[in-house]
Amino acid sequence: MSTGELLNVEPLELKFPFELKKQISCSLQLSNKTENHVAFKVKTTNPKKYCVRPNTGLVLPRSTCDVTVTMQAQKEAPPDMQCKDKFLLQSVAVSQGIAPKDITPEMFSKQPGRVVEECKLRVIYLPPPQPPSPVLEDPNEGVASPKVSFNSGNLNGPEVTRQITNSDDKSSEVRSLIAKLTDEKNAAIQQSNKIRQEIELLMRGGNKSQGGGVSIIIVIAICLIGLVLGYIMKN
């Protein structure tokens, strides 16, 4: 910030993010800290390259004024991105009845009894903003990889080994239980077949001795078969 007797100028450097073939703008703020009307004029060493709006004007007492500086689109970048262009802002106190259209270049000429403040501004080129880097897709993305999770927090090597061993032991117990149940089921089926055969023999003998009557032994055998089959179906 430039602190003069008439105007405060901010900033003192005109910074342009330089891009080829593109107009770029930045702004100045002029603050009048006096009780007087202050006229200003902005000049540059390269008027064809820059457009200043407004390039002349009035700043009312205790008020501010914004000035926009636009750099025309450039076809080539300067060497080393260094710019030698300069701006000069002149300000002078004027009477209350002056309007912006009444401001003339002669008002900023230095004469005895007239105070003309001058503030020099330099131009700085900034590198253009970089586009965001593209995110490379992981070829393995979306493919589920086998993971081993543990509910006991962070585990060291021996604890992990113990977890795996316990898991293997439980698997062995399950396999042993399944094999035992399978053996019992097969044994029950064999027993059922044996009982069925004995019933058939008894039925044949009963038919011969009692002429078609059903003996108590046959009834008991049928009940046993029902119990065995019920046990088999549950397992």
Side-chain angles (χ1 to χ4, degrees):
M1 175 188 296
S2 172
T3 304
E5 294 182 1
L6 299 176
L7 295 179
N8 290 341
V9 182
E10 185 178 6
L12 294 177
E13 295 177 340
L14 299 176
K15 298 180 179 180
F16 296 93
F18 188 88
E19 293 186 56
L20 292 176
K21 301 179 181 180
K22 183 178 180 180
Q23 284 189 347
I24 307 167
S25 298
C26 64
S27 61
L28 294 172
Q29 186 176 75
L30 312 180
S31 300
N32 183 357
K33 58 183 181 180
T34 71
E35 301 296 335
N36 302 317
H37 288 64
V38 177
F40 70 88
K41 180 179 178 65
V42 182
K43 298 192 296 185
T44 178
T45 58
N46 196 341
K48 293 183 179 181
K49 186 176 179 180
Y50 300 94
C51 176
V52 182
R53 292 288 182 271
N55 62 341
T56 60
L58 283 174
V59 186
L60 300 179
R62 304 295 177 181
S63 63
T64 61
C65 177
D66 292 330
V67 177
T68 300
V69 181
T70 301
M71 182 178 66
Q72 304 301 322
Q74 301 297 301
K75 295 182 180 180
E76 58 183 12
D80 300 326
M81 293 293 289
Q82 299 297 320
C83 182
K84 298 180 180 180
D85 300 333
K86 299 279 192 304
F87 283 81
L88 179 66
L89 187 141
Q90 296 176 304
S91 58
V92 62
V94 295
S95 61
Q96 184 174 353
I98 293 294
K101 64 180 181 178
D102 299 326
I103 299 174
T104 62
E106 289 76 14
M107 291 182 178
F108 302 96
S109 61
K110 296 180 180 180
Q111 298 179 4
R114 178 183 296 172
V115 177
V116 179
E117 286 189 355
E118 292 184 344
C119 178
K120 294 181 180 180
L121 309 172
R122 55 189 298 234
V123 176
I124 296 178
Y125 289 158
L126 301 177
Q130 297 296 326
S133 301
V135 179
L136 298 178
E137 294 184 359
D138 188 355
N140 296 325
E141 186 177 359
V143 179
S145 57
K147 296 182 179 180
V148 179
S149 61
F150 301 95
N151 296 326
S152 57
N154 295 327
L155 302 178
N156 54 28
E159 291 177 347
V160 173
T161 303
R162 192 179 303 112
Q163 289 275 3
I164 296 174
T165 302
N166 293 338
S167 177
D168 292 341
D169 293 342
K170 292 180 180 179
S171 299
S172 300
E173 293 177 0
V174 172
R175 288 195 294 269
S176 299
L177 180 60
I178 293 174
K180 183 178 179 181
L181 293 175
T182 303
D183 292 340
E184 292 179 355
K185 183 176 181 179
N186 293 334
I189 293 174
Q190 292 178 358
Q191 185 68 23
S192 175
N193 293 334
K194 184 176 180 181
I195 292 174
R196 186 183 300 109
Q197 293 175 358
E198 292 178 355
I199 290 173
E200 291 177 355
L201 293 175
L202 290 173
M203 289 179 66
R204 292 173 184 174
N207 291 334
K208 292 180 179 181
S209 60
Q210 299 183 10
V214 180
S215 66
I216 297 175
I217 296 176
I218 294 175
V219 174
I220 294 173
I222 292 173
C223 293
L224 290 175
I225 292 175
L227 291 174
V228 172
L229 292 178
Y231 174 81
I232 294 173
M233 294 300 293
K234 289 182 180 180
N235 292 280

